Amino acid sequence: MSKPGQLVLVALRKMIASGELAAGERLMEIPTAQLFGVSRMPVRMAFRTLEQEGLLVPFGGRGYQVRSVSPGDIAGAVEVRGVLEGLAARQAAERGLSDEARVVLERCLVEGDQLFAKGYVTEDDLEVYHDLNMRFHHVIVEGSHNPAIADALARNDHLPFASVNALAVDREDMAREYRRFNYAHMQHHSVFDALVSRQGARAEAIMREHANATLRYAEIFSSATENARMKVILRAQ
């Protein structure tokens, strides 16, 4: 996806999680493109991705509607991802990492170390982290040599905020985002150590806990509902 498309995607995820875009809200390409100052193509790609993630549903053939999501929906889907990725990590540790997998994981750790070393992050930094995070998780799932895990994760990814690809950034509190993502990266180091040490139970436990970082989306969503935050309405005129 292009950079404009990625920016729109991340922004819309956050707006849905925060309640700025409430359940049932309609989204149309032209007003959304105007809001973000981009062409219609990045918006179209962002909409399709959000539909795949279970956050939008087609509406009337001319746009999309925000799906009704509860904090419990998010928490349940994230818990399932943690169980599945934990199982993948345990099996990868017990089987032993290939040399190629180890190199990829080590490269992800080095890139992450460089990213967080300066003590803060920008939105561009978090896009870089998003890419290396996807690679890290993908290698672990592949390392399990269990296709059933990948299949189950693919189905679970269609639930709101369940996918490891679902990155929502709070631009209003980047200091907190730094702490959250830096902590997640430290968990990458821990799970890597467990994998190379062939400690299956430890690797499984860390990956299950690692998934809990996503539960902040459930907290944001719950807070937005309780406080009835002002909505940003995107409708065709």
Side-chain angles (χ1 to χ4, degrees):
M1 183 180 293
S2 66
K3 185 171 183 179
Q6 185 67 28
L7 290 174
V8 173
L9 176 62
V10 172
L12 288 176
R13 277 204 201 104
K14 176 62 173 60
M15 292 168 75
I16 293 170
S18 68
E20 290 181 82
L21 286 171
E25 200 70 62
R26 286 187 62 188
L27 293 173
M28 305 294 286
E29 283 184 12
I30 294 177
T32 305
Q34 292 172 343
L35 177 70
F36 291 105
V38 298
S39 67
R40 295 174 63 178
M41 182 57 70
V43 172
R44 187 174 303 135
M45 298 304 296
F47 282 176
R48 289 175 181 171
T49 299
L50 292 171
E51 180 187 7
Q52 292 170 357
E53 293 176 3
L55 292 174
L56 297 180
V57 293
F59 183 85
R62 295 188 57 194
Y64 289 86
Q65 192 172 47
V66 178
R67 176 180 170 182
S68 177
V69 181
S70 72
D73 293 334
I74 298 172
V78 170
E79 184 175 10
V80 169
R81 175 161 68 84
V83 170
L84 291 170
E85 290 190 330
L87 175 60
R90 177 169 65 80
Q91 293 186 345
E94 291 171 350
R95 291 175 180 274
L97 291 174
S98 68
D99 291 341
E100 181 182 0
R102 181 166 180 160
V103 167
V104 174
L105 293 177
E106 288 177 333
R107 187 179 304 122
C108 290
L109 294 178
V110 170
E111 291 176 11
D113 289 345
Q114 295 171 343
L115 200 65
F116 295 108
K118 60 183 181 294
Y120 65 90
V121 289
T122 64
E123 289 184 53
D124 286 343
D125 290 334
L126 292 182
E127 285 186 35
V128 174
Y129 177 80
H130 172 260
D131 291 339
L132 72 86
N133 186 56
M134 286 174 54
R135 278 183 276 135
F136 192 90
H137 284 249
H138 178 71
V139 168
I140 292 175
V141 173
E142 276 202 336
S144 72
H145 298 284
N146 187 342
I149 295 177
D151 290 342
L153 280 168
R155 289 192 294 273
N156 195 60
D157 284 351
H158 292 289
L159 298 175
F161 294 106
S163 172
V164 71
N165 298 336
L167 175 67
V169 177
D170 186 354
R171 295 181 177 86
E172 303 303 316
D173 195 350
M174 293 300 287
R176 182 175 179 178
E177 296 295 69
Y178 170 80
R179 294 191 298 271
R180 180 163 70 100
F181 286 100
N182 185 47
Y183 177 69
H185 180 62
M186 291 301 101
Q187 289 178 317
H188 283 180
H189 275 279
S190 295
V191 75
F192 176 76
D193 181 70
L195 289 169
V196 298
S197 300
R198 306 193 71 163
Q199 298 171 328
R202 179 174 168 234
E204 180 175 18
I206 296 169
M207 283 301 286
R208 292 186 67 164
E209 173 61 27
H210 184 54
N212 287 337
T214 313
L215 290 178
R216 181 167 177 245
Y217 299 147
E219 296 170 6
I220 294 172
F221 203 90
S222 179
S223 175
T225 301
E226 292 169 1
N227 297 328
R229 294 180 58 182
M230 182 177 296
K231 297 178 293 182
V232 174
I233 301 176
L234 303 177
R235 283 200 179 105
Q237 299 299 321

